[in-house]
Amino acid sequence: MRDDIKALTRPELLTWLETRGERAFRADQILKWLYVRLADRFEQMTDLNKALRSLLTEQFVIHRLGVADTRTAADGTRKFLFRLTDGQTVESVLIPERDHFTLCVSSQVGCAQGCRFCLTGQGGLVRNLNHAEIVGQVWETRKQMDDPGQLTNLVFMGMGEPLANYDNLVKAIEVLTNSDWGMKFATRHVTVSTSGLVPRLLDLGRDTRINPAISLNAVDDATRSRLMPINRKYPIADLLEACRQYNLPKGRKLTFEYILFKDLNDGPEQARRLAKLLAPLKAKINLIPFNPYPGSAFDRPSETRIEAFKAFLMEKHFTCVVRYSKGQDIMAACGQLRGQSGKSGSGGTGATEEPS
Ligand code: SAH
Ligand code: SF4
């Protein structure tokens, strides 16, 4: 079987060219066709000589993710269900903003972290995505858009824990943000959300210049450990210490995500404690009212409670936004993504898929 050329990293492509006596600059020509012009056939690469084009065709394919399904919500949000070569699926969500689009990208099939409020976490981890499958979601989405240039922002907030698939994540970020031969996303427009894998968080600051977002969701260890098992390994103090040390590009802030659960973490005492915890950091806060799914065990607070929580943080001079997730009617909101196995439909009970 021929390999997917996009599964090669740039150094691997360079080596391949070198062993065939080709000049090094050919690598960037090929990469530009793949990632800038979104070519899906080697014949399109007209600035390569015919011999090289035939050699590439013999050895490689330009693989595209299968689009198993797309759904459009009433608010214009589009959810893509992508099929991978082994039949597994992942979801990506294209969110229209005022003057651009944001794509919510998946990093794993399923997730091993087991957060109690998240549908993705209910079935455990199936497998990591390789870097080409991560980039492939963005590539295929751009292919589907009338104006691909309007997709300028990426958030790694789809299925999976990005930092648990670190090497593939970093390789994908390189392709997505390279401004010469890559997909040219500005690093300030790329956000990676994590449940808090402390050592990897510090690595991320060293290896990339993207924006980190930390899913805090609770202000005391007892509550956070109950909601997010990862907290038993990396408790709040360790996580915030890593945030303090994070090598943040100039002028940026760390984003903290805080899901608001009714009667669990939405009171004035928690707001006070959150402000105190984050005061020493360059932090902005995204409040996400809990998004329910069939079988979920939590409720979202009333608007009054949500607004009061936000008002308190604003008074303490935090940048604070309530993220009313879009695409709720098609199960495209935060925490509602699961993908779909061959047998079961999406949007089911959320606990039917077995980890492999
Ligand atoms: N694994 C990463 C990124 C994917 S989850 C992480 O946990 O950060 C993206 C965001 O969705 C996280 O902030 C998570 O806390 C939030 N989330 C998960 N389930 C949710 C739900 N049911 N309602 C609202 N937000 C949810
Ligand atoms: Fe995994 Fe994030 Fe869901 Fe937790 S919230 S189970 S880390 S995807």
Side-chain angles (χ1 to χ4, degrees), residues 110-115 117-122 158-161 195 215 228:
C111 182
Q113 305 305 320
C115 302
F117 46 77
C118 170
L119 183 55
T120 308
Q122 308 303 307
M159 296 163 62
E161 167 51 54
S195 56
S215 300
M228 306 175 70

Side-chain angles (χ1 to χ4, degrees), residues 31-235:
L31 292 169
K32 279 180 192 169
W33 279 107
L34 294 173
Y35 297 119
V36 183
R37 302 195 191 97
L38 308 179
D40 58 1
R41 285 177 300 118
F42 291 112
E43 302 93 85
Q44 291 169 297
M45 304 184 178
T46 44
D47 53 2
L48 306 182
N49 58 55
K50 251 191 153 162
L52 179 55
R53 277 187 342 235
S54 329
L55 190 60
L56 287 166
T57 312
E58 270 165 37
Q59 299 259 326
F60 297 108
V61 290
I62 302 175
H63 181 69
R64 291 180 63 165
L65 298 188
V67 182
D69 192 20
T70 64
R71 286 180 199 195
T72 306
D75 60 21
T77 302
R78 266 169 91 188
K79 182 166 81 165
F80 295 93
L81 180 70
F82 290 118
R83 192 171 298 287
L84 312 173
T85 38
D86 62 355
Q88 295 293 342
T89 57
V90 288
E91 293 180 311
S92 314
V93 181
L94 184 62
I95 304 154
E97 317 269 5
R98 215 167 357 156
D99 55 358
H100 68 273
F101 284 83
T102 298
L103 188 72
C104 179
V105 180
S106 291
S107 54
Q108 299 181 308
V109 181
C111 182
Q113 305 305 320
C115 302
R116 284 192 47 219
F117 46 77
C118 170
L119 183 55
T120 308
Q122 308 303 307
L125 176 69
V126 179
R127 69 169 175 87
N128 280 333
L129 298 184
N130 65 32
H131 83 271
E133 291 169 328
I134 297 175
V135 173
Q137 298 165 60
V138 183
W139 194 95
E140 199 56 51
T141 302
R142 276 198 167 160
K143 272 302 240 200
Q144 305 273 333
M145 293 173 73
D146 296 332
D147 180 1
Q150 282 196 310
L151 173 55
T152 55
N153 292 48
L154 300 175
V155 292
F156 283 79
M157 296 184 187
M159 296 163 62
E161 167 51 54
L163 299 192
N165 185 14
Y166 189 78
D167 294 345
N168 288 309
L169 173 76
V170 170
K171 282 186 200 168
I173 289 172
E174 163 72 358
V175 176
L176 294 167
T177 61
N178 186 285
S179 57
D180 179 22
W181 53 264
M183 294 189 80
K184 301 183 194 287
F185 283 88
T187 53
R188 66 179 190 286
H189 290 162
V190 178
T191 301
V192 170
S193 176
T194 178
S195 56
L197 274 62
V198 163
R200 288 314 202 182
L201 183 59
L202 290 170
D203 291 343
L204 192 70
R206 272 191 290 268
D207 296 339
T208 77
R209 296 178 58 75
I210 56 84
N211 302 319
I214 291 97
S215 300
L216 194 59
N217 296 337
V219 291
D220 63 273
D221 280 321
T223 310
R224 193 165 189 271
S225 294
R226 207 153 55 79
L227 294 170
M228 306 175 70
I230 185 76
N231 193 69
R232 292 184 203 130
K233 198 161 175 194
Y234 304 115

Side-chain angles (χ1 to χ4, degrees), residues 316-335:
K316 298 283 175 194
H317 308 291
F318 286 100
T319 308
C320 180
V321 184
V322 181
R323 294 276 172 212
Y324 289 99
S325 302
K326 296 186 176 174
Q328 304 245 2
D329 50 334
I330 56 164
M331 291 286 286
C334 288

